Amino acid sequence: AQSVTQLDSQVPVFEEAPVELRCNYSSSVSVYLFWYVQYPNQGLQLLLKYLSGSTLVKGINGFEAEFNKSQTSFHLRKPSVHISDTAEYFCAVMSRVTGGGNKLTFGTGTQLKVEL
Amino acid sequence: DSGVTQTPKHLITATGQRVTLRCSPRSGDLSVYWYQQSLDQGLQFLIQYYNGEERAKGNILERFSAQQFPDLHSELNLSSLELGDSALYFCASSPRMDTQYFGPGTRLTVL
């Protein structure tokens, strides 16, 4: 079964500083990878995705992620964070399921707290 | 706004009761997914429907069931509710078997 590990449960960072949120996955087949953001009392918003092609993926709000197959990682980065980036970030891997369906398996989330 | 709508936004009920959560997917999306988010279990996949047919099943309890109707909206039915069923329930939809777009969720509180 595929799994996702988010190594940091909380990441505090000062405004305008760079940040990296780490994500490692386990899979023996080709993967689709995603980062979602959840603001307080809201749903999950898609930040970016890797389906194939370039290993550097750019998303919304200035975020980007790099797919590294040899290290089975998909770390999320932003060169300069803003207070409004304070939220919980989830890494997810898509897998096929018997019956022709699919599902997302999520990590436990990383709470990004941006401070002045 | 993802285009996925869920009703109600909040639901408070008592143990042993039955509730129905409703989801309308984005226009044109044939796939609907249900997920549960709780403090102890995190985000867990429950079930997927594609054009009215069940396609994938996850950690869904036997007390829970779902269906997708001809107009593609979906309902998640939770019965014999227990305190531990209190959680956020998300619906997501997808145009293909890749990107899922999530609704705002229904917060269920079982007292």
Side-chain angles (χ1 to χ4, degrees), chain B residues 23-96:
Chain B
C23 168
S24 292
R26 298 183 329 152
S27 177
D29 286 359
L30 298 178
S31 271
V32 170
Y33 306 78
W34 287 97
Y35 291 83
Q36 179 194 60
Q37 184 180 33
S38 62
L39 284 174
D40 51 345
Q41 300 284 337
L43 271 159
Q44 298 273 322
F45 168 71
L46 295 178
I47 198 163
Q48 177 203 3
Y49 277 81
Y50 179 84
N51 203 19
E53 292 187 5
E54 182 185 305
R55 282 294 184 94
K57 216 165 184 176
N59 300 323
I60 188 166
L61 299 171
E62 283 193 13
R63 300 183 285 108
F64 296 0
S65 65
Q67 54 184 325
Q68 186 179 28
F69 295 87
D71 66 352
L72 300 179
H73 91 272
S74 177
E75 292 181 355
L76 180 67
N77 300 296
L78 315 176
S79 62
S80 303
L81 285 167
E82 302 175 0
L83 296 177
D85 297 328
S86 295
L88 255 175
Y89 291 85
F90 287 111
C91 169
S93 74
S94 175
R96 299 167 296 277

Side-chain angles (χ1 to χ4, degrees), chain A residues 2-77:
Chain A
Q2 295 185 335
S3 65
V4 175
T5 302
Q6 291 184 245
L7 297 165
D8 306 300
S9 59
Q10 292 187 41
V11 173
V13 62
F14 288 109
E15 194 173 35
E16 296 184 8
V19 71
E20 178 179 84
L21 306 185
R22 297 179 293 170
C23 172
N24 287 87
Y25 66 92
S26 70
S27 173
S28 57
V29 298
S30 59
V31 291
Y32 291 171
L33 293 158
F34 304 83
W35 276 97
Y36 286 87
V37 60
Q38 185 176 28
Y39 298 101
N41 300 314
Q42 292 190 29
L44 295 163
Q45 182 181 4
L46 179 67
L47 267 181
L48 48 77
K49 60 185 176 183
Y50 172 79
L51 303 181
S52 65
S54 173
T55 56
L56 184 62
V57 179
K58 294 195 182 295
I60 62 171
N61 301 339
F63 283 94
E64 63 181 33
E66 185 155 20
F67 170 63
N68 188 319
K69 188 174 182 179
S70 63
Q71 296 189 7
T72 60
S73 67
F74 190 54
H75 300 332
L76 181 71
R77 301 185 183 102

